[in-house]
Amino acid sequence: MNRAVEQFLPFALPEIGEEEIAEVVSSLRSGWVTTGPKAKQFEDDFAQWLGGGVEAISVNSATAGLHLSLEALGVGPGDEVITTTHTFTATAEVVRYLGADPVFVDISADTLCIDPEAVERAITPRTKAIIPVHFAGRSAEMSVILDIARRHGLKVVEDAAHALPTTSDGRLVGTLDSDVTVFSFYANKTITTGEGGMLVTRNPAIAMRARTMRLHGINRDAFDRFTATVPSWYYEIVAPGFKYNLTDIAASIGIHQLRKARAFQARRQHIAEQYNATLSGLPLILPPGPREGDLHSWHLYVVQLGEGAPCGRDAFIERMFERGIGMSVHYIPLHLQPYWRDRYELKPDMFPVSQRVFERTATLPLYTRMTDGDVERVVRTVRESLR
C-alpha cells in the first residue's frame, strides 16, 4: 500500500460487537439505565467466570475499586501503603484520599513489576497494606509478596487493571490469597465497559462494606428498593459513602466483553508472539513474558531501546508517529510527577530500575482489532525508525 494513503494506526482501539450494542439497546428500552439487573448479572457472571468462591462488586472505575478496597480494610491517617513508582497515579492517589501515605519502591528489571525485596525493606510499624501492580498484564511475584504480607500482618490489594486474564502460579489473578483484587474496564483495557471496574474479594465483610460505600453509604440496594412490589422506601445512611456504582448501560457492554475475554487474550498473545519473532535482532529489549505455565494478558507490549539504538526514546516515538503509527509510554514514574516528587522528596536515584526503564521505554500498538497486516506494518515501521 502506498504510504500516502495509509491511515494512521492508533495505539489502542476497543472491539465492540453487535452483541454489546444489542444489550445496551435492551437496557435503554427496559427503563433501567443506572445500576440494576444488568449490573447484577455482570457481577454474577464475573464471579462465576473467575471461580474460587469470590464475590464481585461492580464500580465505575478501577480507581473507585481501589479506594473502596483500602477504605474497607481500614486504611486511614497515619498508615502507610507500599506500592510501585512504576504505575499510573490512581494506584497511589487512592491512598491519599484516605489520609494515608503511599511508600514508593522500585521495580524488578526482569518483570517490570514491583520488587518484592524492595517491598520488604520498606516495611515500617506504620505499614498497613501492599498494592502490587500486574504491569502490562504479566503477574507480579505474588507468592513472594503474599508471604511477606503474611509474615508482617499486612493486607494486600492487587491492582489488576492490566491483568484479565492473567495467571500467577497457575491461578487466575482475582482468585489468589490477597484481600482484594481490582480490575479495570477502561476503553483500552483487555475488556471494556467504556468506564468501569470490578472489585473482587472472598471476604464477606469487605464485600458488604464496598457495596454500601459505593452508593452513598446506603444500607439497602437501590435496585431492590426500586423494584420491590411492596413499600420499600425506607433506608439508612450508615457512613458518608461515595458515588461509585456502575450503570446498567456500561454493564451491558461488560456482559458480552467478558464472554470474549479468552478469545481476546488469544488474539493479543498471537500479536505479541508476532512481535517477539519479528522484532528480535533489533536494538530493542523486548517485554518480559510470563513465567512458565502462566498466562499473560498482553494488555501492553512495552519495548525498551537497547544500547545500540540509533536514536533516543523520544525521537523513536516521533519517527513512528511521522510514519503513521501511534505509541505511548508506560509509565512516567510517579517519582517524576510533581505532586509525588515534591511531597515525598523523591529522587530518580531512589528508583534506578524504574528510571532507567522509563528513559528508554515505548509501547507499541496491541489490540484485538489489529490485523496481521497491521502488525507487519508496525514492525516494518519500527525497523525504518531505528535505521
Side-chain angles (χ1 to χ4, degrees), residues 166-177:
T166 291
T167 64
S168 179
D169 293 322
R171 297 168 62 185
L172 275 171
V173 167
T175 68
L176 308 181
D177 297 327

Side-chain angles (χ1 to χ4, degrees), residues 35-77:
T35 306
K38 296 291 173 66
K40 181 65 166 62
Q41 180 184 342
F42 186 32
E43 291 175 340
D44 291 345
D45 289 355
F46 199 87
Q48 184 176 5
W49 191 90
L50 282 178
V54 301
E55 294 186 63
I57 297 91
S58 61
V59 287
N60 59 13
S61 69
T63 307
L66 291 169
H67 185 197
L68 291 173
S69 300
L70 295 180
E71 197 278 340
L73 291 169
V75 171

Side-chain angles (χ1 to χ4, degrees), residues 113-192:
C113 296
I114 194 167
D115 181 351
E117 293 183 3
V119 169
E120 189 144 30
R121 290 194 300 268
I123 294 171
T124 74
R126 292 176 55 197
T127 306
K128 186 72 171 280
I130 306 167
I131 305 180
V133 177
H134 302 292
F135 180 77
R138 188 209 190 275
S139 65
E141 300 301 304
M142 289 307 301
S143 59
V144 181
I145 291 168
L146 289 167
D147 178 66
I148 293 169
R150 279 191 294 268
R151 287 189 283 105
H152 293 273
L154 304 177
K155 304 297 185 181
V156 177
V157 175
E158 295 175 66
D159 182 335
H162 299 180
L164 186 77
T166 291
T167 64
S168 179
D169 293 322
R171 297 168 62 185
L172 275 171
V173 167
T175 68
L176 308 181
D177 297 327
S178 304
D179 296 277
V180 192
T181 305
V182 179
F183 296 94
S184 172
F185 308 137
Y186 184 64
N188 69 341
K189 296 302 191 293
T190 56
I191 72 170
T192 186

